[in-house]
Amino acid sequence: MRILAVDDNPIIRMGLRTLLDGAPGVTSVLDTGDPDEAVAHVHAGRVDVVLLDVRMPRTSGLELLPRLTGATVVMLTHTDDPATVSEALAAGAAGYLVHGALEPEAMVDAIRLCRNGSQVVSGVAPAPAAPAQGPAVRDLLSRREAEVMDLVADGLSNGEVAARLFISQKTVKNHVNSLFAKLGVTTRSQAIVRWLQRDPDHGRAKGPGRTGPRVGPRTLGARPAAP
């Protein structure tokens, strides 16, 4: 992996370079506090993974995130606000890690998982349950749509959902399009965020901390993210 650390704090950048240099699978580590330089590195194809801070003075990480297409972006920050986490994941971040939540080795593993297609969130407290407003999210969907959404939330692709439910990929796609419309979302990440936050009957902890696998210093599990 070729990694770029983007943070306005030079001490944090130096610490990340020290941590990542020589880590298994890491071939190079660049760093910058300049958002334009970060975009240039990504567009030139010099990096595979960007570790991006959320709060930076010139351009916030959330503003910079859409400009970093072509690289896997993992938010690495002190900000653990659930709304910010949800926004970052919905905007395409592959992971959200809070400084200090993981031991160094586990953090490197989490970055590698994100690069390999998983979505990892760590160090984020569950969001408080939303007040009841109309029907529960699960009640908006048909039984089959809810089954499909459960599997999508587990990170399965349309092909994997089709195999699990013994239906065609076209049928899965039709169900996904329908449930997107009913949930008022346009992407899988947005659907997962809403499904896990707002569904009181779902068998997972609520909040953006469960949009991907929970990672801890001693355990590290992940599901492949859907394309």
Side-chain angles (χ1 to χ4, degrees):
M1 290 185 296
R2 299 168 300 168
I3 297 178
L4 171 65
V6 182
D7 197 299
D8 62 295
N9 188 327
I11 296 177
I12 289 179
R13 299 201 307 270
M14 181 174 64
L16 288 173
R17 291 195 65 149
T18 300
L19 168 67
L20 296 170
D21 268 331
V26 177
T27 56
S28 66
V29 183
L30 301 174
D31 70 271
T32 182
D34 184 336
D36 293 328
E37 184 179 356
V39 172
H41 280 310
V42 170
H43 289 180
R46 290 190 283 267
V47 297
D48 303 308
V49 177
V50 177
L51 303 180
L52 181 61
D53 188 22
V54 170
R55 303 199 185 281
M56 297 186 291
R58 284 180 51 192
T59 304
S60 76
L62 294 177
E63 293 171 329
L64 186 58
L65 177 57
R67 301 172 60 193
L68 299 175
T69 54
T72 299
V73 179
V74 179
M75 311 307 290
L76 181 61
T77 179
H78 290 288
T79 303
D80 61 358
D81 172 54
T84 302
V85 180
S86 295
E87 186 176 354
L89 296 176
Y96 198 106
L97 309 178
V98 175
H99 282 296
L102 297 177
E103 298 292 338
E105 183 178 347
M107 190 180 80
V108 174
D109 286 341
I111 294 168
R112 188 178 297 110
L113 284 168
C114 289
R115 177 59 184 168
N116 290 337
S118 296
Q119 190 176 75
V120 181
V121 176
S122 184
V124 180
Q133 295 180 354
V137 169
R138 182 174 289 271
D139 294 339
L140 296 174
L141 308 184
S142 69
R143 181 185 62 81
R144 178 61 91 181
E145 288 167 347
E147 289 175 342
V148 170
M149 190 61 236
D150 276 334
L151 295 176
V152 169
D154 282 338
L156 273 66
S157 67
N158 283 0
E160 292 168 328
V161 173
R164 185 74 63 86
L165 298 179
F166 303 102
I167 57 179
S168 70
Q169 290 193 45
K170 182 177 180 181
T171 299
V172 173
K173 184 176 180 181
N174 290 339
H175 284 314
V176 169
N177 288 338
S178 175
L179 67 88
F180 275 16
K182 291 179 180 180
L183 295 179
V185 300
T186 58
T187 68
R188 293 174 93 91
S189 292
Q190 291 171 350
I192 291 170
V193 168
R194 184 157 191 223
W195 192 243
L196 299 186
Q197 280 185 313
R198 299 295 305 280
D199 179 8
D201 298 320
H202 200 50
R204 302 172 177 81
K206 304 177 186 65
R210 286 298 295 158
T211 55
R214 262 236 199 248
V215 183
R218 295 183 176 80
T219 59
L220 188 62
R223 299 181 296 268

Short mmCIF file of all heavy atoms in Angstrom, two decimals, residues 36 101 110:
data_model
loop_
_atom_site.label_atom_id
_atom_site.label_comp_id
_atom_site.label_asym_id
_atom_site.label_seq_id
_atom_site.Cartn_x
_atom_site.Cartn_y
_atom_site.Cartn_z
N ASP A 36 -4.66 20.87 -1.52
CA ASP A 36 -4.41 20.83 -2.96
C ASP A 36 -3.29 19.83 -3.29
O ASP A 36 -3.35 19.13 -4.31
CB ASP A 36 -4.05 22.22 -3.48
CG ASP A 36 -5.22 23.19 -3.38
OD1 ASP A 36 -6.38 22.73 -3.51
OD2 ASP A 36 -4.99 24.39 -3.18
N ALA A 101 -8.11 4.99 19.50
CA ALA A 101 -9.07 3.90 19.71
C ALA A 101 -8.46 2.54 19.45
O ALA A 101 -8.94 1.53 19.96
CB ALA A 101 -10.30 4.10 18.81
N ALA A 110 -6.70 -2.31 10.24
CA ALA A 110 -7.94 -1.66 9.83
C ALA A 110 -7.77 -0.95 8.50
O ALA A 110 -8.64 -0.99 7.62
CB ALA A 110 -8.39 -0.68 10.90
#
